[in-house]
Each structure stands twice: as structure tokens, then as C-alpha cells.
């Protein structure tokens, strides 16, 4: 299984071209799921797990991997399905989200496929397991579901969303201006986290669930004015989103005379040195790894106080 990821480092050229590669896997049953390869550090046969007291019920145990202790989350149970009972023939996907490393227990891992973000669609409306999806796509006539990992992780270990008192006292933004900004993220949990973190800045916050929806909203505003930055001076955008990713959105903004002055902060759980290169390539103003409310508030304060 290690061979399935041995060429991941060669795939970074996909970033910024509105393309991604998905690692396909299954939980209990025939349904296929996908995870972005750029969030995957390693795939391995499930090692012996250690059960610790007071673990969340969705955490199967901890694994000791290369000198590091990693929590192993049963993805089936965490998304409302039947728990994976016998782990000896299962796999764990070691991933990095929001500055932390975790393992996801899955029944089987299949292969990596190359996709265009335009082929990745928002999930169907509805309750149940669909609430754990950020997107879906079709492969070989079958529906592949892309999980909202940020929602899963937040339910297991909620992140702190309030800024510190020190940060609050250091803000220089004119809070009486009620600046209008846009937050773009395919995860509803992530959008709410950002809104809570920025509540102290007294902002008007519009939202969009992907780059295409955000671009349409911005172009609608542009139909009535020459410089949209006068209305929305700043956007905060995730990178990987259905239909149009954050890099492509930023490039589209920079290519439009009426939008080009909007400041763009990319805010993402992706990691890697290639991100900084892409920030410069597409013309973003800043890049922040999720999720630190003080860093986010500091960036917004900086760009709106200039």
C-alpha cells in the first residue's frame, strides 16, 4: 500500500490548476469515499491500537507510528454508520488537518484518481449522512462522497474560536466602520468557526460555499460599480472547494479589472511549501493555515487597517 503514495510529491503541479487527486476508500459496505491526496501523509495496514481511558467514542484507539502517537478515528462510526469492529485487515489513512495529525480507520483503500474541481459538486440537500459531506463526484458511474473532515474533527475535539484578550486589545481596525467581507468555504463548520473568530471586529460577513458561487456574487456587485473593493475590501477563502478552488478564484479576481483590488486571504487546512509559491503565483495577499483565531483576526486586522 505504501506504493500508492510514493509519487505524491510529484503531484504538486496540480495545485492552482483547479485540479486535485482523490484517494478512494471504503468504510462498511460498497459506498466509495474520497480524500484529497495533499492531506494524506501515509497509508498503512492498521497497527495494534492502544485503548486509553476517556477516549471519544469515535476514537478507536491510538497508534504508535514512527515515534509519534496518533489518534485513530473510526470514520464509519463518526459519520453515523456502523463501527468497524475487526481492524486487523483494515487500513489507516494518516492525514494532516488544521495543524494536527490524525489517523482515519477505513475498511479498504483502492487507488488515486485525477479529477477536475469542476467535476466535484456540492452534496445533495438533506439530513443524515449527507450532513457529513462537503462534495460528491461520479466515477465509473458510481457516486463518490467526499467527507467534511473538519465537521468530524470539530465534533470529536472542538477547536477554540474566540480570540485572546491580548489580540482583542491589540486590534487597530476601526470597528465602527463595520467593514463588509466575504468568507468562502465548503465546510459549514469552517464558515461558522471563522465568523465566531471575527465577531470581535464588528464586520458584516457574507458567505459562499465554493469559489464559483463567490465569483458570481462578486460579479453581480461589479455590475453596479467599477471597484468592488469599495464594497468588499477583503475575502477569506478556503483552497479546496467544489467547482472552483481558492487558487483559481484568486486568479479570476486578479484578472477582472473591477475585482482586482480586493484583498485575498487564503485560509486552508492544506500544508506544504508549495502553498507559499502558489500564493505568490495567483496574487493572494496572505496565506494562513487553519485554525488559529488570533492569527486569522490579526491578518484581517492588518489588511483592513492599511
Amino acid at each position: 500500500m505504501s506504493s500508492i503514495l510514493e509519487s505524491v510529491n510529484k503531484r504538486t503541479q496540480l495545485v492552482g490548476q483547479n485540479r486535485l487527486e482523490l484517494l478512494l476508500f471504503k468504510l462498511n459496505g460498497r459506498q466509495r469515499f474520497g480524500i484529497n491526496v495533499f492531506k494524506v501523509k501515509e497509508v498503512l495496514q492498521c497497527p495494534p491500537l492502544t485503548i486509553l481511558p476517556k477516549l471519544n467514542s469515535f476514537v478507536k484507539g491510538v497508534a504508535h507510528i514512527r515515534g509519534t502517537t496518533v489518534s485513530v478515528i473510526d470514520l464509519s462510526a463518526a459519520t453515523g454508520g456502523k463501527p468497524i469492529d475487526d481492524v486487523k485487515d483494515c487500513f489507516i489513512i494518516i492525514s494532516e488537518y488544521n495543524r494536527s495529525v490524525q489517523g482515519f480507520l477505513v475498511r479498504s483503500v483502492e487507488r488515486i484518481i485525477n479529477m477536475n474541481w469542476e467535476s466535484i459538486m456540492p452534496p445533495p440537500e438533506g439530513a443524515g449522512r449527507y450532513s457529513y459531506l462537503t462534495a460528491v463526484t461520479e466515477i465509473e458511474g458510481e457516486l463518490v462522497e467526499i467527507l467534511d473532515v473538519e465537521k468530524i474533527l470539530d465534533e470529536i475535539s472542538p477547536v477554540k474560536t474566540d480570540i485572546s484578550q491580548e489580540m482583542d486589545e491589540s486590534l487597530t481596525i476601526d470597528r465602527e466602520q463595520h467593514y463588509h467581507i466575504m468568507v468562502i468555504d465548503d465546510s459549514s463548520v469552517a464558515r461558522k468557526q471563522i465568523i465566531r473568530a471575527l465577531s470581535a471586529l464588528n464586520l458584516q460577513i457574507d458567505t459562499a460555499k465554493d469559489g464559483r458561487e463567490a465569483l458570481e456574487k462578486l460579479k453581480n456587485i461589479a455590475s453596479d460599480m467599477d471597484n468592488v473593493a469599495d464594497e468588499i475590501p477583503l475575502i477569506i477563502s478556503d483552497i479546496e472547494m467544489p467547482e472552483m478552488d481558492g487558487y483559481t478564484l484568486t486568479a479570476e479576481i486578479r484578472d477582472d479589472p473591477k475585482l482586482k483590488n480586493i484583498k485575498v486571504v487564503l485560509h486552508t487546512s492544506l500544508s506544504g511549501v508549495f502553498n507559499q509559491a502558489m500564493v505568490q503565483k495567483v496574487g493572494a495577499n496572505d496565506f494562513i493555515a487553519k485554525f488559529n483565531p488570533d492569527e486569522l483576526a490579526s491578518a484581517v486586522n492588518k489588511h483592513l487597517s492599511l
Side-chain angles (χ1 to χ4, degrees):
M1 185 53 63
S2 61
S3 63
I4 200 171
L5 294 175
E6 62 187 6
S7 61
V8 167
N9 289 335
K10 299 178 183 177
R11 296 186 166 101
T12 57
Q13 67 269 20
L14 294 176
V15 178
Q17 298 179 18
N18 212 37
R19 299 190 67 82
L20 81 159
E21 287 192 325
L22 290 176
L23 174 63
L24 300 183
F25 61 90
K26 292 182 178 180
L27 302 175
N28 284 317
R30 298 179 58 186
Q31 176 62 49
R32 287 176 173 173
F33 298 87
I35 186 173
N36 192 329
V37 166
F38 285 113
K39 294 185 176 182
V40 177
K41 298 170 69 68
E42 188 176 5
V43 177
L44 49 93
Q45 193 86 32
C46 185
L49 301 180
T50 301
I51 308 300
L52 299 178
K54 298 184 180 180
L55 285 178
N56 184 282
S57 60
F58 299 143
V59 178
K60 206 72 174 179
V62 298
H64 303 284
I65 301 171
R66 310 193 202 295
T68 302
T69 300
V70 178
S71 296
V72 177
I73 298 167
D74 183 338
L75 269 188
S76 181
T79 55
K82 180 182 177 181
I84 297 175
D85 295 323
D86 188 0
V87 303
K88 64 181 180 65
D89 293 324
C90 295
F91 294 86
I92 57 173
I93 300 172
I94 306 299
S95 67
E96 184 173 357
Y97 279 81
N98 299 355
R99 309 189 189 204
S100 66
V101 175
Q102 52 283 130
F104 296 125
L105 178 69
V106 302
R107 178 67 67 188
S108 63
V109 176
E110 295 189 351
R111 67 187 191 277
I112 290 173
I113 59 166
N114 188 310
M115 299 288 296
N116 192 304
W117 272 114
E118 292 179 351
S119 301
I120 310 295
M121 306 300 294
E125 296 289 339
R129 65 191 177 99
Y130 288 131
S131 67
Y132 287 96
L133 304 183
T134 59
V136 297
T137 191
E138 186 176 303
I139 300 171
E140 299 171 350
E142 294 185 9
L143 188 71
V144 172
E145 302 181 354
I146 302 173
L147 294 173
D148 187 347
V149 176
E150 286 167 290
K151 175 180 174 66
I152 295 168
L153 294 178
D154 189 63
E155 290 182 353
I156 293 173
S157 180
V159 299
K160 176 181 178 294
T161 57
D162 296 329
I163 65 173
S164 67
Q165 182 177 345
E166 291 78 10
M167 174 55 63
D168 190 28
E169 292 173 350
S170 70
L171 295 173
T172 57
I173 185 175
D174 183 354
R175 305 187 203 198
E176 297 303 316
Q177 286 284 341
H178 298 286
Y179 288 104
H180 188 183
I181 73 169
M182 183 178 291
V183 170
I184 308 147
D185 203 298
D186 60 335
S187 170
S188 60
V189 168
R191 293 195 299 270
K192 291 174 183 177
Q193 290 171 343
I194 295 169
I195 291 171
R196 287 198 296 267
L198 299 179
S199 60
L201 281 71
N202 289 336
L203 305 171
Q204 300 179 60
I205 301 179
D206 194 7
T207 63
K209 63 181 181 298
D210 58 58
R212 189 172 301 281
E213 180 185 358
L215 188 62
E216 289 174 357
K217 287 186 174 184
L218 293 172
K219 286 185 176 293
N220 283 339
I221 297 172
S223 65
D224 296 325
M225 59 194 314
D226 291 332
N227 184 17
V228 175
D230 290 338
E231 172 70 18
I232 300 181
L234 174 71
I235 68 170
I236 301 169
S237 177
D238 189 17
I239 289 179
E240 53 165 2
M241 298 178 289
E243 300 196 78
M244 180 182 291
D245 67 26
Y247 288 132
T248 305
L249 170 63
T250 305
E252 291 281 349
I253 288 172
R254 293 293 174 251
D255 285 341
D256 189 316
K258 292 186 176 184
L259 306 181
K260 66 179 183 180
N261 294 324
I262 299 173
K263 294 173 182 175
V264 179
V265 174
L266 295 175
H267 184 239
T268 176
S269 56
L270 287 171
S271 60
V273 295
F274 62 86
N275 281 328
Q276 294 296 344
M278 285 305 307
V279 167
Q280 298 179 7
K281 180 179 178 180
V282 301
N285 298 92
D286 219 334
F287 169 84
I288 304 174
K290 293 179 181 177
F291 182 78
N292 183 301
D294 277 8
E295 288 185 10
L296 182 60
S298 177
V300 173
N301 180 71
K302 177 180 71 174
H303 292 297
L304 292 181
S305 297
L306 295 177

